[in-house]
Amino acid sequence: MQAQTVHHYMRSEEKHVMEATGKHIFINICKIPLLLLFLYMFICSLDILSSAFQLAGGKVAGGIFKDNAVLSNPVAGLVVGILVTVLVQSSSTSTSIVVSLVSSGLLDVGSAIPIIMGSNIGTSVTNTIVALMQAGEREEFKRAFAGATVHDCFNWLSVLVLLPLEAITGMMRLMSEAIVESFNIVTGEKGPELLKVITEPFTKRIIQIQKNASFVPSENSTVLTTSLHMNAEKCTHLFVETRLSDLAVGLILLVCSLLVLCTCLLLLVKLLNSLLQGQVAKAIQKVINTDFPFPFSWLTGYLAILIGAGMTFVVQSSSVFTSAITPLIGIGVISIERAYPLTLGSNIGTTTTAILAGLASPGDKLAAAFQVALCHFIFNILGILLWYPVPHTRLPIRMACFLGERTAKYRWFAVLYLILCFLLLPSFVFALSMAGWQILMGICVPVVAVLLCIVILNRLQSHKPHLLPRWLQTWDHLPLWMHSLKPMDSIITRATLCCREAQTRDQSRTSPEDLTDYEEEKNHAPLAQNGSCLIYDHETETGAVFDSMNGKCSRL
């Protein structure tokens, strides 16, 4: 009898387990269409965001690019490429502007190359912003920010080496010119825009921009030719009947697309976290992050480069591809060691769009347009040869991991990094370059030399401190603010605390009853209003607020 009871109990437990498993599988299957929907909306929002930036900033971008006197300076050209690509959020857009300028004779190929380099840097800001959406979880934020900034570090390091080399030797210009002359290139059809086939049915109902629109103001016109009202009878988008200017429509779309992008991204991360758990996550991690067996393990990274290039060619956007893998890096599905070659591949894949566009140019403009596109391709290939084949030269991975660790400790550092690297530093260098080569070199060369010395000393302090004098083995003899972010973190924490206290005080004074209670507490406990104090633990990098009035301690 007891055996039958146990058997019946085991069968009922198995039945419950099977029902729970079936329910779990059913729920996960239902989540997949939601995941695809959010991914589709995410990609559409990126497309609309690009159109919004073109409408809001296209005329400004075209005007900047047209100033050939400025762009003859390689450093100024680089900074303009960064700022304009950040402005329009699309390296394809800024590259197409450069191609049109070269084709029209307003810009020579040599001046266009630094702008192409700058566009490579500017396009990496998108996935860095995407990483900020995972700031809620410290470890996820650390991985996501490192995975996003590995793209930035690669582009910056490549520019630091190749821009001076190009300015001195003209290497990329000569290589691309030789390739163009060695092939009998004929015009062809424009390459397939596979992603547009999927997204256009939705995005065309929101906004349409003329395909032959020029972002370069003509000599006799100051109006951007991407007018929303041209050929209105052929357009069916949302703003076709509106009297709003391009700038107003661009700003409206900018706000709306950013809201949709952030919402879809947060929901994507949540869904991916719920789907990629347990055995599924382990299986995906094993497949993506596993190397080929020895002695062919070195081929794995190059296969990842090809996959990244192919995927970017399919979606026709490196920003979309790198932004899509950033959440996967954050939740730990893709390691940064595997994300690095995928990102390098996306850099190559995005150049195919410009090459196909160049091949589709008219015969009289084909050579110059194709040469500029080839310069973009050669720049990325040379960057990969510099920073990937030898494991010890993969500095972008180590730099990105360092940035990820800093960001995990001090989350405000991510915003500071974005502002510094994509706005303040380029603007400062641009101002110096406009002041003249003597001033630029007189300031930048000592700064770069000091930074190199600091990097070398840090490496020696970590690995071979015995080679250094005793006073150089650590930075402890310097003031704390010169070798640590803790003083700045304390200032920001206190400022945040003061803002919270001010907000709480304002809220409490809105009610007369609360104001009376506050005055009574002030009279009976004169020290209570100063009873809140900040507690900060430097070892665990955590803070708390202690309120002596009620004896409670709340963690920041």
Side-chain angles (χ1 to χ4, degrees), residues 155-472:
N155 288 327
W156 277 109
L157 287 173
S158 298
V159 165
L160 286 175
V161 174
L162 295 177
L163 180 63
L165 192 62
E166 175 65 21
I168 295 171
T169 64
M171 177 180 60
M172 285 185 281
R173 178 179 57 80
L174 295 175
M175 289 174 64
S176 60
E177 186 177 349
I179 294 173
V180 170
E181 291 177 353
S182 63
F183 289 98
N184 185 20
I185 302 170
V186 295
T187 58
E189 296 295 326
K190 189 176 180 180
E193 295 184 348
L194 303 181
L195 191 65
K196 291 287 185 182
V197 176
I198 302 173
T199 59
E200 267 194 355
F202 176 77
T203 57
K204 282 176 68 175
R205 296 185 178 275
I206 305 298
I207 189 66
Q208 286 178 260
I209 299 179
Q210 270 191 296
K211 290 185 178 180
N212 61 345
S214 172
F215 290 97
V216 185
S218 63
E219 295 181 1
N220 300 322
S221 174
T222 59
V223 181
L224 184 67
T225 60
T226 56
S227 175
L228 297 170
H229 310 290
M230 286 185 176
N231 301 322
E233 66 277 3
K234 298 181 181 180
C235 297
T236 57
H237 61 84
L238 186 63
F239 298 94
V240 70
E241 300 294 339
T242 185
R243 295 182 178 275
L244 296 174
S245 64
D246 288 359
L247 176 61
V249 174
L251 293 176
I252 293 171
L253 289 176
L254 178 64
V255 174
C256 295
S257 58
L258 281 174
L259 288 174
V260 174
L261 186 145
C262 295
T263 303
C264 290
L265 187 63
L266 290 172
L267 293 173
L268 274 172
V269 172
K270 294 293 182 183
L271 275 175
L272 286 170
N273 272 322
S274 62
L275 281 171
L276 303 177
Q277 288 178 347
Q279 298 300 322
V280 178
K282 291 180 181 178
I284 295 175
Q285 285 177 329
K286 187 175 181 181
V287 172
I288 294 179
N289 298 318
T290 301
D291 293 335
F292 287 135
F294 184 81
F296 303 106
S297 56
W298 59 276
L299 288 174
T300 310
Y302 295 98
L303 178 63
I305 291 176
L306 293 177
I307 292 173
M311 292 296 294
T312 304
F313 175 74
V314 168
V315 301
Q316 294 283 294
S317 173
S318 61
S319 297
V320 170
F321 178 73
T322 54
S323 299
I325 67 172
T326 297
L328 298 176
I329 300 170
I331 62 178
V333 173
I334 301 178
S335 65
I336 188 172
E337 288 77 14
R338 185 64 71 244
Y340 180 51
L342 288 172
T343 301
L344 301 185
S346 73
N347 266 10
I348 295 176
T350 195
T351 64
T352 58
T353 306
I355 291 175
L356 291 171
L359 290 174
S361 300
D364 58 333
K365 301 177 182 178
L366 176 60
F370 185 62
Q371 187 178 353
V372 172
L374 277 179
C375 289
H376 195 189
F377 178 77
I378 292 170
F379 169 74
N380 285 303
I381 291 294
L382 291 176
I384 292 174
L385 293 176
L386 281 172
W387 309 115
Y388 188 76
V390 182
H392 292 293
T393 62
R394 294 173 188 173
L395 297 179
I397 295 179
R398 291 196 286 271
M399 293 172 64
C401 289
F402 173 79
L403 291 173
E405 291 173 357
R406 293 297 96 189
T407 305
K409 286 186 177 181
Y410 315 105
R411 300 189 190 188
W412 51 265
F413 180 78
V415 179
L416 177 65
Y417 169 83
L418 274 172
I419 296 174
L420 184 65
C421 287
F422 295 102
L423 183 61
L424 295 183
L425 182 61
S427 301
F428 178 69
V429 174
F430 180 77
L432 289 179
S433 65
M434 289 294 95
W437 277 102
Q438 295 83 359
I439 296 177
L440 176 66
M441 300 303 291
I443 294 178
C444 288
V445 170
V447 170
V448 171
V450 170
L451 290 176
L452 285 176
C453 290
I454 291 173
V455 170
I456 294 172
L457 286 173
N458 279 332
R459 297 290 295 175
L460 290 175
Q461 288 173 355
S462 301
H463 300 284
K464 295 182 179 180
H466 61 278
L467 297 178
L468 297 172
R470 184 176 297 275
W471 63 278
L472 277 179

Side-chain angles (χ1 to χ4, degrees), residues 7-17:
H7 180 68
H8 178 72
Y9 175 75
M10 291 179 64
R11 290 189 62 183
S12 63
E13 284 295 319
E14 289 177 359
K15 184 179 179 181
H16 286 309
V17 170

Side-chain angles (χ1 to χ4, degrees), residues 63 85 88 136 155 439 478:
T85 307
V88 300
N155 288 327
I439 296 177
L478 296 176

